[in-house]
């Protein structure tokens, strides 16, 4: 009996040690804040939010922690809304988002500092059998608002149009509605939340149309040109292709310590020229224009 | 003398052990009670915020058919009608239960009454295996097999209540079957013997004696399956189409409470109407599962009285 009791005590002791270990790591992050200038980087930070940005942050943090073994970066998904909420409350160090904080209701953007780490272009995609490669912007709006319901009206096959929307409130949908549909509200249609599922459905459903980030467009589906502008990174860089968005990493106030060094690492030339295109994003340095939260476009000097 | 007195008045080792055990089990149970209570409190307080903080009328929420939380109608009221989702959830749940229940009862009769050896050795492990498959796998199979099949052989885009029903039926079938097997197995042996001794055929015994006396257990099994179907999110989300409209046929995209809830949660900001109204959906779900649990208890109690 006594042995069993000792066992319970041992388990409790082990737990306390683990908890104490967690506590230690957070204090060391405070230490890192204190001497940000020194070369040895240690501590632990958490980045939460956008699932679209998650793969990049994960890959970058893996590379970073391989070089700086004492640093620990936790990356979690949860969506842009979660990211912005959590960083605003100070629960996490970095909040990842597909949209400007100013565009999200209920977020006090004045406290948050924006760090743009990548650009993502998006394009309308259709099932290959519809026989359309290029449509005008007006036709695109008419399709999504339900005025055009057959592909033959835009020069394709006699096939009913099936619209597949993204989830209400998703960053991709917000970007597409703002820049692709000029703010028009699409009709009620199917909704899917994951890009992979959307690609699968569009490739298998005759007459289907949806929209995806460039990195998800492959041979199984057809990306549409709008007014004869092809959905390509060169066109995004010059803003000829208007449906694109920044990937943001927000901090609550100015970034400090490990957060700061990690953010400068992720925007460094090494990561931007190597990891960013590898994972299907577009480098922030490739942009010839800049766009603010209100949509004003200025040239980068 | 003193030593004997001490031994008699002092708490013995065994009594101390018993006390310690009591304390440990009490701590365990109180953690569970606190967890359940705090979940209830959290979901209800968040869910009610829609009605008390954002001043949405509960009747509009339950009966409205327009779902677009980020927009408002002409009068300035937010569009948060949850009726299409509530109907969708009930639709897929009831249909799946209607299909799964006869299949499950048939399978259970076969496993217990017709071929107990084969049932125990082969079917039981198969059932247990099916229960263990993650729901995302069921969803993906539904997306790759069921949806194209409906599109090519029946009508529409393939997404809809029909596809969701098919996936859910397969998902709840093992649960309902194994619970039904337990119910039938617990019918006392002498019922069977008495029935056969009276000259009843095997079929008469099964239909009139066994199924009748196992009825409360079978009902519990079906309700249990319905509770699982009602709360299932991922697999349904993949095949139902998630369109917040009241469908006019089984082959049109529809949505359920869970599918809209899981798709929207990450994209909304805590404390806003968009987020609160999702908690209200969660509250409806919670109320429904409570209803299912109460129903199971009610059926179970009736069995005891008999």
């Amino acid at each position: 009996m006594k042995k069993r009791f000792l066992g319970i005590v041992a388990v409790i002791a082990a737990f306390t040690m683990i908890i104490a270990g967690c506590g230690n790591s957070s204090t060391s992050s405070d230490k890192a804040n204190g001497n940000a200038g020194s070369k040895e980087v240690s501590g632990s930070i958490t980045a939460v939010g956008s699932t679209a940005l998650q793969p990049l942050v994960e890959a970058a943090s893996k590379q970073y922690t391989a070089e700086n073994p004492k640093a620990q970066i936790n990356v979690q998904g949860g969506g842009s809304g979660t990211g912005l909420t959590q960083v605003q409350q100070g629960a996490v160090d970095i909040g990842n988002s597909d949209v400007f904080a100013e565009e999200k209701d209920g977020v006090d953007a004045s406290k948050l500092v924006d760090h743009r780490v990548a650009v993502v272009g998006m394009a309308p995609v259709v099932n290959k059998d519809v026989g359309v490669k290029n449509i005008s912007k007006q036709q695109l709006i008419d399709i999504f608002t339900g005025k055009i319901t057959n592909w033959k009206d835009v020069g394709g096959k006699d096939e009913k149009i099936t619209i597949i929307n993204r989830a209400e409130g998703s960053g991709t949908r917000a970007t597409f509605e703002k820049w692709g549909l000029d703010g028009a509200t699409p009709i009620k249609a199917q909704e899917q939340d994951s890009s992979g599922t959307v690609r699968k459905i569009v490739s298998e459903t005759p007459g289907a149309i949806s929209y995806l980030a460039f990195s998800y467009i492959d041979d199984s589906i057809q990306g549409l040109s709008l007014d004869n502008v092809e959905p390509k990174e060169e066109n995004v860089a010059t803003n000829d292709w208007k449906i694109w968005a920044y990937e943001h990493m927000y901090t609550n106030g100015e970034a400090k310590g490990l957060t700061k060094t990690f953010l400068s690492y992720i925007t460094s030339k090494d990561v931007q020229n190597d990891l960013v295109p590898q994972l299907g994003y577009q480098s922030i340095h490739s942009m010839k224009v800049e766009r603010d939260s209100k949509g004003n476009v200025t040239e980068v000097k | 003398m003193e030593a004997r007195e001490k031994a008699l008045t002092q708490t013995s080792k065994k009594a101390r052990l018993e006390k310690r055990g009591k304390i440990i089990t009490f701590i365990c149970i109180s953690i569970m009670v606190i967890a359940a209570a705090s979940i209830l409190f959290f979901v209800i307080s968040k869910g009610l915020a829609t009605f008390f903080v954002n001043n949405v009328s509960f009747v509009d929420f339950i009966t409205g058919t327009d779902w677009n939380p980020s927009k408002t109608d002409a009068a300035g009221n937010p569009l948060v009608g949850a009726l299409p989702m509530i109907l969708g959830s009930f639709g897929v749940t009831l249909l799946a239960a209607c299909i799964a229940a006869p299949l499950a009862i048939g399978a259970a009769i076969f496993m217990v009454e017709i071929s107990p050896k084969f049932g125990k050795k082969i079917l039981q492990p198969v059932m247990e295996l099916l229960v263990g498959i993650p729901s995302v796998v069921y969803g993906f199979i539904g997306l790759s097999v069921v949806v194209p099949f409906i599109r090519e052989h029946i009508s529409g885009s393939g997404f809809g209540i029909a596809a969701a029903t098919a996936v859910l039926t397969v998902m709840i079938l093992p649960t309902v079957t194994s619970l039904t097997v337990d119910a039938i197995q617990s019918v006392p042996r002498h019922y069977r013997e008495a029935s056969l001794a009276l000259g009843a055929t095997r079929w008469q015994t099964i239909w009139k004696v066994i199924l009748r006396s196992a009825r409360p257990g079978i009902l519990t099994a079906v309700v249990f399956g319905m509770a699982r179907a009602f709360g299932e999110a991922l697999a349904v989300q993949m095949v139902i189409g998630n369109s917040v409209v009241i469908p006019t046929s089984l082959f049109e995209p529809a949505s359920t409470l869970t599918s809209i809830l899981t798709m929207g949660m990450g994209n909304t900001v805590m404390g806003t109407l968009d987020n609160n109204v999702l908690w209200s959906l969660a509250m409806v779900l919670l109320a429904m599962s409570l209803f299912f649990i109460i129903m199971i208890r009610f059926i179970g109690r009736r069995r005891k009285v008999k």
Side-chain angles (χ1 to χ4, degrees):
Chain A
M1 274 307 136
K2 242 188 189 151
K3 263 186 196 161
R4 194 170 294 169
F5 184 65
L6 279 179
I8 293 170
V9 172
V11 169
I12 293 169
F15 265 113
T16 358
M17 271 158 90
I18 291 165
I19 293 163
C22 294
N24 276 344
S25 68
S26 68
T27 44
S28 64
S29 116
D30 291 336
K31 263 182 225 151
N33 291 345
N35 48 17
S38 71
K39 269 198 175 169
E40 186 78 15
V41 189
S42 65
S44 107
I45 55 169
T46 309
V48 168
S50 162
T51 42
L53 181 54
Q54 198 180 352
L56 174 62
V57 183
E58 256 167 19
S61 73
K62 213 175 255 172
Q63 272 193 15
Y64 186 77
T65 46
E67 291 164 24
N68 303 281
K70 279 195 179 164
Q72 197 190 343
I73 298 162
N74 307 305
V75 186
Q76 289 162 25
S80 304
T82 309
L84 289 171
T85 314
Q86 301 259 344
V87 75
Q88 181 173 256
Q89 290 171 345
V92 296
D93 305 273
I94 301 171
N96 300 333
S97 172
D98 305 335
V99 293
F100 280 99
E102 287 88 348
E103 291 177 282
K104 211 72 174 168
D105 286 338
V107 176
D108 183 8
S110 62
K111 282 187 202 152
L112 301 179
V113 180
D114 185 9
H115 306 268
R116 298 169 196 175
V117 296
V119 171
V120 170
M122 293 157 205
V125 291
V126 295
N127 186 280
K128 278 186 150 178
D129 76 338
V130 302
V132 178
K133 283 187 175 154
N134 175 54
I135 58 172
S136 72
K137 185 111 172 242
Q138 191 54 46
Q139 284 172 329
L140 183 72
I141 296 172
D142 286 348
I143 288 172
F144 273 92
T145 52
K147 282 185 201 134
I148 296 174
T149 55
N150 197 305
W151 284 110
K152 68 178 182 212
D153 296 336
V154 291
K157 248 174 62 175
D158 182 8
E159 177 98 64
K160 209 179 140 239
I161 296 175
T162 304
I163 297 170
I164 291 146
N165 249 328
R166 304 303 292 275
E168 161 90 40
S170 89
T172 312
R173 177 159 167 182
T175 307
F176 183 76
E177 279 181 16
K178 189 167 181 188
W179 299 105
L181 304 180
D182 290 342
T185 312
I187 53 163
K188 287 221 168 100
Q190 272 202 51
E191 285 179 15
Q192 289 296 339
D193 198 30
S194 119
S195 299
T197 311
V198 169
R199 177 169 66 191
K200 185 169 162 62
I201 292 171
V202 171
S203 70
E204 288 173 1
T205 311
I209 182 167
S210 187
Y211 38 93
L212 283 171
F214 285 180
S215 54
Y216 281 96
I217 300 174
D218 63 6
D219 291 340
S220 67
I221 49 177
Q222 171 75 51
L224 283 187
S225 299
L226 283 179
D227 296 317
N228 293 314
V229 180
E230 274 186 74
K232 276 194 173 150
E233 294 192 356
E234 303 94 272
N235 295 332
V236 168
T238 55
N239 201 37
D240 288 328
W241 181 268
K242 293 203 171 54
I243 315 172
W244 56 272
Y246 289 111
E247 293 292 353
H248 310 263
M249 291 175 82
Y250 278 100
T251 52
N252 196 342
E254 282 302 327
K256 277 180 270 173
L258 177 58
T259 313
K260 190 177 180 184
T261 42
F262 179 62
L263 284 172
S264 56
Y265 174 76
I266 209 169
T267 47
S268 70
K269 282 232 158 72
D270 286 350
V271 174
Q272 290 288 326
N273 293 342
D274 185 35
L275 207 55
V276 168
Q278 222 177 70
L279 291 167
Y281 304 86
Q282 200 167 330
S283 162
I284 200 88
H285 302 315
S286 75
M287 296 301 288
K288 298 195 176 72
V289 294
E290 202 172 341
R291 195 161 72 186
D292 67 13
S293 62
K294 292 185 190 78
N296 303 317
V297 176
T298 47
E299 262 182 54
V300 176
K301 280 146 225 164
Chain B
M1 195 65 193
E2 216 170 68
R4 195 171 289 170
E5 197 182 340
K6 209 179 168 190
L8 280 170
T9 51
Q10 218 181 22
T11 32
S12 71
K13 250 188 188 167
K14 289 269 153 67
R16 252 184 300 172
L17 186 72
E18 197 150 298
K19 201 164 189 192
R20 208 184 294 140
K22 252 187 196 165
I23 291 171
I24 291 172
T25 45
F26 181 77
I27 290 171
C28 294
I29 201 80
S30 34
I31 288 172
M32 264 162 65
V33 170
I34 290 168
S38 44
I39 288 170
L40 269 174
F41 173 76
F42 189 69
V43 173
I44 290 174
S45 64
K46 284 238 163 208
L48 288 178
T50 312
F51 311 114
F52 291 116
V53 179
N54 305 100
N55 295 320
V56 176
S57 118
F58 184 70
V59 179
D60 284 353
F61 172 72
I62 290 290
T63 59
T65 55
D66 230 344
W67 176 264
N68 204 342
S70 54
K71 307 244 159 53
T72 51
D73 64 4
N77 295 317
L79 299 168
V80 289
L83 188 65
M85 288 163 255
I86 296 171
L87 288 180
S89 275
F90 275 102
V92 292
T93 304
L94 292 175
L95 282 173
C98 285
I99 301 171
L103 288 174
I105 294 169
I109 290 172
F110 180 81
M111 281 165 71
V112 181
E113 300 294 325
I114 315 284
S115 176
K117 239 189 198 157
F118 182 70
K120 262 257 151 59
K121 275 215 175 114
I122 312 276
L123 293 178
Q124 196 98 30
V126 169
M127 288 290 157
E128 277 152 18
L129 196 75
L130 285 175
V131 176
I133 293 175
S135 61
V136 64
V137 174
Y138 282 108
F140 199 72
I141 293 170
L143 190 61
S144 318
V145 181
V146 180
V147 169
F149 180 85
I150 292 176
R151 182 173 60 231
E152 277 155 32
H153 297 282
I154 307 171
S155 76
S157 65
F159 293 93
I161 291 189
T165 303
V167 169
L168 277 180
T169 304
V170 179
M171 285 185 73
I172 66 171
L173 195 58
T175 316
V176 182
T177 308
S178 47
L179 285 171
T180 309
V181 166
D182 291 344
I184 293 178
Q185 260 169 355
S186 67
V187 172
R189 198 179 145 78
H190 59 261
Y191 280 26
R192 294 183 181 82
E193 284 163 357
S195 168
L196 292 171
L198 285 169
T201 62
R202 193 194 221 180
W203 170 245
Q204 282 170 328
T205 307
I206 289 171
W207 185 249
K208 300 218 159 138
V209 176
I210 293 171
L211 280 188
R212 203 135 303 182
S213 47
R215 194 165 57 190
I218 295 172
L219 279 177
T220 311
V222 174
V223 175
F224 214 81
M226 281 169 74
R228 190 174 175 205
F230 202 81
E232 175 50 44
L234 204 53
V236 174
Q237 189 192 318
M238 287 170 91
V239 298
I240 199 165
N242 310 311
S243 176
V244 192
V245 289
I246 298 175
T248 50
S249 93
L250 294 181
F251 307 104
E252 272 176 33
S255 58
T256 62
L257 290 165
T258 46
S259 72
I260 298 301
L261 189 57
T262 49
M263 284 205 314
M265 226 13 141
N267 295 318
T268 54
V269 177
M270 280 264 202
T272 57
L273 170 71
D274 300 25
N275 191 265
N276 287 344
V277 79
L278 290 177
W279 285 103
S280 304
L281 293 185
M283 196 175 69
V284 173
L285 266 174
L286 192 69
M288 279 314 301
S289 22
L290 278 179
F291 171 75
F292 282 127
I293 290 165
I294 291 167
M295 216 155 108
I296 291 170
R297 305 226 54 146
F298 183 70
I299 295 166
R301 199 167 53 194
R302 239 185 13 185
R303 173 163 52 169
K304 259 183 219 153
V305 174
K306 265 187 178 177

